[in-house]
Amino acid sequence: MTETPPASNPDVRRRMQATRRVDTRAELSLRRELHQRGLRFRKDYVVRGVSRSRLDIAFTRHKVAVFVDGCFWHSCPDHSSIPKVNTEWWTLKLETNRVRDLRHNSELESAGWTVVRVWEHEDARAVAGVLHGLLSNR
Ligand SMILES: [Zn+2]
């Protein structure tokens, strides 16, 4: 994969920046909700032997891996779109991301992890509730 081309116009640049900012905000809200429920976790957790996977949130005792996927970078079915300039590059880039996500999922699952992927647009409180339930039943 070649380097990211410079944002071709102000619109694309804004979206790329906004996407990163929202990513962070989505992770922060989810972490806050998890803390409020008294759940302990590691963030940006690297699993040894699993390619270069970095877990956004990891419940290491239960081996539950949580990724908060950005709608743009991970092609959310509701909000994905391909920029109109450099379309070919972006199509390949986003497809590569998708394949990499699937590979990480299967590598983690082979290593005994349960993988949970949530979209950045999902309600953090609801997601935290689901995770709480999942962890309580293990
Ligand atoms: Zn979305």
Side-chain angles (χ1 to χ4, degrees):
M1 184 55 56
T2 52
E3 277 178 41
T4 307
S8 46
N9 62 49
D11 189 48
V12 170
R13 187 177 310 118
R14 246 195 317 277
R15 174 159 45 176
M16 290 168 70
Q17 289 169 345
T19 303
R20 291 206 192 97
R21 209 160 45 233
V22 172
D23 258 342
T24 306
R25 201 189 301 141
E27 286 179 36
L28 287 176
S29 347
L30 180 54
R31 286 170 188 155
R32 192 172 52 238
E33 291 291 335
L34 293 171
H35 274 304
Q36 279 175 7
R37 286 166 175 73
L39 297 173
R40 307 273 313 244
F41 55 86
R42 306 280 298 274
K43 61 175 180 146
D44 300 325
Y45 186 75
V46 175
V47 180
R48 278 178 190 277
V50 179
S51 59
R52 296 198 294 164
S53 191
R54 182 190 59 80
L55 314 184
D56 292 333
I57 293 168
F59 297 95
T60 52
R61 194 160 58 88
H62 296 285
K63 292 190 105 174
V64 172
V66 181
F67 293 95
V68 182
D69 287 343
C71 293
F72 174 69
W73 294 104
H74 298 267
S75 306
C76 152
D78 298 336
H79 307 110
S80 73
S81 62
I82 304 278
K84 289 190 172 48
V85 181
N86 295 323
T87 301
E88 205 172 318
W89 189 91
W90 280 110
T91 304
L92 181 61
K93 171 67 178 168
L94 296 178
E95 176 61 13
T96 303
N97 284 355
R98 200 183 65 81
V99 170
R100 190 196 54 204
D101 287 347
L102 291 174
R103 195 182 66 233
H104 282 168
N105 287 357
S106 68
E107 286 178 2
L108 284 165
E109 281 160 6
S110 301
W113 288 76
T114 300
V115 180
V116 178
R117 283 187 179 271
V118 301
W119 293 112
E120 66 176 359
H121 70 251
E122 291 188 75
D123 179 65
R125 191 171 303 166
V127 171
V130 170
L131 286 171
H132 195 185
L134 176 70
L135 293 163
S136 310
N137 288 325
R138 291 169 78 92

